[in-house]
Amino acid sequence: QVQLKESGGASVQAGGSLRLSCEASEFSFSSYCMAWFRQTPGNEREGVAAIDSDGTTIYADSVKGRFTVSRNNANDPLYLEMDNLKPEDTGMYYCAAEWPCTASLDTGGYYYWGQGTQVTVSS
């Protein structure tokens, strides 16, 4: 059974950095688009960053220049490097896999999801 598992969430102060990881079991990243989403209580899940099978990336406007999504190959974890964190970046962060691959920041095409890792940024 396909499983995605996020890690790396923590509590940090504004201006700090974190790196989130997403590892998969029974699954190869190579053919899928992968993305990071985040959600806060009472709000819809929003797309943060996505990467396609060729390494092309897209980002939400709110994180451009601060976040970097990466994947080295089919067997390595998916990463989200987050720099210059702001309190509004606080939320539960999820990784997800999409097929067919469109590298969208909308949740609709993403079939596999992890359980999430909490990021809290204090001012």
Side-chain angles (χ1 to χ4, degrees), residues 74-90:
N75 297 316
D76 283 349
L78 174 75
Y79 296 107
L80 183 68
E81 185 74 37
M82 305 186 294
D83 298 316
N84 190 21
L85 283 161
K86 303 176 180 181
E88 52 263 42
D89 296 318
T90 294

Side-chain angles (χ1 to χ4, degrees), residues 47-88:
V48 173
I51 185 167
D52 71 12
S53 54
D54 293 327
T56 301
T57 57
I58 62 169
Y59 297 92
D61 287 343
S62 60
V63 306
K64 281 181 182 176
R66 301 187 298 119
F67 289 14
T68 303
V69 59
S70 63
R71 54 196 274 182
N72 292 327
N73 60 51
N75 297 316
D76 283 349
L78 174 75
Y79 296 107
L80 183 68
E81 185 74 37
M82 305 186 294
D83 298 316
N84 190 21
L85 283 161
K86 303 176 180 181
E88 52 263 42

Side-chain angles (χ1 to χ4, degrees), residues 22-24 27-32 34 53 71-78:
C22 174
E23 297 192 70
F27 180 81
S28 172
F29 289 139
S30 62
S31 299
Y32 289 77
M34 301 297 299
S53 54
R71 54 196 274 182
N72 292 327
N73 60 51
N75 297 316
D76 283 349
L78 174 75

Side-chain angles (χ1 to χ4, degrees), residues 101-120:
C101 179
T102 67
S104 168
L105 292 180
D106 294 326
T107 59
Y110 288 85
Y111 187 76
Y112 297 114
W113 292 85
Q115 294 299 306
T117 186
Q118 178 67 37
V119 172
T120 303

